[in-house]
Amino acid sequence: MSMPIVGYTDRLTVEPGQTVDFKISCDVPTFTASLVRLIHGDPNPAGPGFKAQHIASSIEGTHPGRCQSLSAGSYVRVPYGTGLTPAGSFTVHLWIWPTLPTGGPQTLISQGRLSEGGYALRIEEGKVTFRVGDQVLSAPKVLRARRWYSVSAVVDVTSGEVRLDVVPKAINCAAEHDRAVGAIAVPTPGTTDVLIGAEQLDSAEIGNHYNGKVDAPRIYGSVLSESALEAISQGTALDAEVSPLAAWDFALDISNWTVTDTAGHFHGQTVNKPMRGTTGHNWDGTETAWPHAPAQYGAIHFHDDDLGDAGWATTFRWTVPDDLPSAVYAAHLTAGDAEDYVPVFVRPRSGAPTAKIALVMPTFSYLAYANEQLLNNPLLDKGDYPSQVQDRYIVENGLLSLYDKHSDGSGVCYSSRLRPVVNMRPKVNMAWLDGGKGSPHQFNADLHIVDWLYEHNYDVDIYTDEDLHRDGGALLEPYKAVLTGSHAEYWSAEMLDATQQYLRGGGRLMSLSGNGMYWVTQLDPETGTSIEIRRRGPATRMWEPEPGEAHLSSTGELGGLWRFRGRGPHTWIGAGHTAETSGPGRPYRRTEQSYDPEFAFVFDGVDGDTIGDIPCLVNSHGAAGFEFDRADVAVGTPVETVVLATADGFGDDAQNTIEDVLLADSQQGGTQSPNVRADMTMLRYPAGGAVFAVSSISWSACLSYNGYDNDVSRITRNVLEAYISDGM
């Protein structure tokens, strides 16, 4: 573990009077903790530098250290109940779709430890095996990846034999039985849990995690005949008298983490959030949305690197004092020369705003990028990258973001906050930005906004995406102005509804984001601790879901871009994502319409036509950069939208987004495509509502230049002052 001290919290948002648990892992016997208010997290000497205020608190002092490990790998646990262990002969059957069949041992279903009389139906060296103790029976043939198989193990106490039967299901091959028969010990697992997708090792650990899908696992309390097994493999109903002891139907609980036994009362629970809403062995393609044909979505896709909850013990707790201002705080942890900052966002009490301005920190986007494996990204040249301890920790511990793929090549669709999110920290850069020198991104970049508000003495209430998702329009209604973070990319329908309600009611939004409101996102409705996406194209994306798996398991709604559900940012912000670049940005140039007296307040005190041709703390230069947006009536921008300024002249490393390209023509770079531009926009709403959109991630990273006295800072302040004083 490359971080000697690291931690996370049980919640990201907390209000006065509430308590947050800090869960810390430390390599040494003791460490120190203190509370700080984070103001500016970027130590780049070109800017104002790192800023944090020490806050006296109950967590101050020395704490005992202990190592806490990360136990990845998803599975289903079925707690033992009377009758779950057959008294004599029994049969296990399930459908499997392995994705890494030739990897290490992978357990399909098990009960108890092998050394204590338990059994495990596994894949070993690509073949289906059945183990009891040190005895093993193996089917002859190696499984093919990404092919459905009917797998059964018959334990016949009378004959003293175990019989394996593996039948492939593929349009191009005959349903030939791959069989094995052997005399091995009869399992006696006793009163132990059944695990699906893993097994209990001789140590206290759960291991041998399976990669792939499982559908319709069943245990029968008898020996099934060959004709019965044949009927199962052909999808034919069995005789009524052949009833299972336990029959888990994964199609019944797709939107939660429960597993229902339709034959009795042996219900289970998934662990570490395996992928749900996945096509089963009987999916025929007539429906591509699981809510329309749930019986064809009776599979769960397990991964050996799923991690829904690290499960660490609480090290210390902090109760927010009643008089603590809303702000961004962190527990500053130190152990020798090592340190970590574990952030927590303190909001006002519910229904009791303390300011005219609200800043919504884009925590869904933080989770989407959480622990992105930049050092393992094959698309990036990492030769000269700075070696951050956080990047090494991510790789060494196999942590994954929604931009990564699992070990079996499938995309990561869930991201949890119940684990260390080590790139949601001050002082941490996204390594591939600025030509490999690194620049702040997400949380650390959003502290540029926090710092600017602090330096200009604005009182501001801090909220998170979770708050907006849960509380809806009532959260925003009291505020004169609402600000986004620099990259508010991942939004739920609830967030869209709430913000659009606010705007229609006269609210004013400052979208300080580039590539905002892009992906359909959902907060896990059961636990509230993770988000879900499906990277359905067309879109600029790192992976594509399997056919038929583009709908979110949490809600059943279609994933992908909001644009293709008619709710893209163009339609209500005025501009939407168009391109990105890791190189220097560009300045804006005012449009003729910006000189209309109606918009004079925006440019008060700004000289000339050029805006933001200054050094920047993201990608080194230019207010329009990194990821940026354009206005376009053809994709939904309202005709009432006013483009105040435009930035163009980007190089060909900035490519128009895939969702805009119908035919590959090699003419989508910044030197050729008119779509590769950033448009600063203003869109009026009835009742005095308005959206001002800067359409660039880099904008906020220019705010502090020249002691906060520059045209980017001035325009931002002009608009904010007009918003809060009704001076538009």
Side-chain angles (χ1 to χ4, degrees), residues 126-267:
K127 302 176 182 179
V128 174
T129 66
F130 188 84
R131 279 189 177 269
V132 179
D134 58 1
Q135 296 181 300
V136 60
L137 176 66
S138 178
K141 295 181 180 179
V142 173
L143 301 173
R144 302 285 186 180
R146 302 168 64 83
R147 173 176 290 178
W148 281 106
Y149 292 87
S150 167
V151 176
S152 60
V154 179
V155 178
D156 189 338
V157 173
T158 302
S159 66
E161 291 181 337
V162 172
R163 297 189 288 275
L164 285 177
D165 190 35
V166 181
V167 185
K169 180 182 181 180
I171 194 170
N172 65 318
C173 64
E176 297 178 352
H177 294 254
D178 180 23
R179 289 174 170 160
V181 179
I184 64 175
V186 174
T188 55
T191 58
T192 55
D193 299 345
V194 168
L195 304 183
I196 302 169
E199 70 179 274
Q200 178 71 60
L201 304 180
D202 284 339
S203 64
E205 296 180 353
I206 305 297
N208 293 340
H209 294 280
Y210 167 62
N211 285 289
K213 298 181 189 179
V214 171
D215 189 359
R218 296 187 173 197
I219 299 176
Y220 296 85
S222 61
V223 172
L224 291 195
S225 65
E226 287 195 16
S227 62
L229 295 175
E230 178 71 20
I232 292 175
S233 68
Q234 296 298 319
T236 305
L238 298 180
D239 294 336
E241 61 268 17
V242 184
S243 58
L245 177 70
W248 294 284
D249 187 349
F250 297 161
L252 295 182
D253 307 287
I254 290 174
S255 290
N256 57 55
W257 306 109
T258 301
V259 168
T260 296
D261 171 22
T262 59
H265 59 277
F266 302 122
H267 309 305

Side-chain angles (χ1 to χ4, degrees), residues 156 176 179 240 259 269 271 289 312 342 425 476 480 485 581 623:
D156 189 338
E176 297 178 352
R179 289 174 170 160
V259 168
Q269 198 76 15
V271 177
W312 287 1
V342 183
R425 298 291 193 265
L476 305 181
K480 289 283 191 178
T581 174

Side-chain angles (χ1 to χ4, degrees), residues 14 25 48 67 122 127 233 250 318 338 382 409 413 415 435 627 647 705 710:
V14 65
S25 179
C67 269
R122 290 180 178 175
K127 302 176 182 179
S233 68
F250 297 161
W318 174 55
K382 297 169 286 295
C413 67
S415 179
E627 297 187 16
Y705 174 67
N710 61 76

Side-chain angles (χ1 to χ4, degrees), residues 1-6 24-28 30-33 331-341 389-390 392 427:
M1 189 168 82
S2 58
M3 292 183 69
I5 187 163
V6 65
I24 312 301
S25 179
C26 182
D27 287 352
V28 295
T30 61
F31 68 91
T32 61
H332 182 210
L333 315 173
T334 58
D337 294 332
E339 70 172 358
D340 191 23
Y341 289 87
V389 65
Q390 289 85 0
R392 296 197 302 272
K427 304 183 182 180

Side-chain angles (χ1 to χ4, degrees), residues 272 332 350 370 463 566 628 643 727:
N272 277 332
H332 182 210
S350 296
Y463 295 102
F628 45 94
V643 177

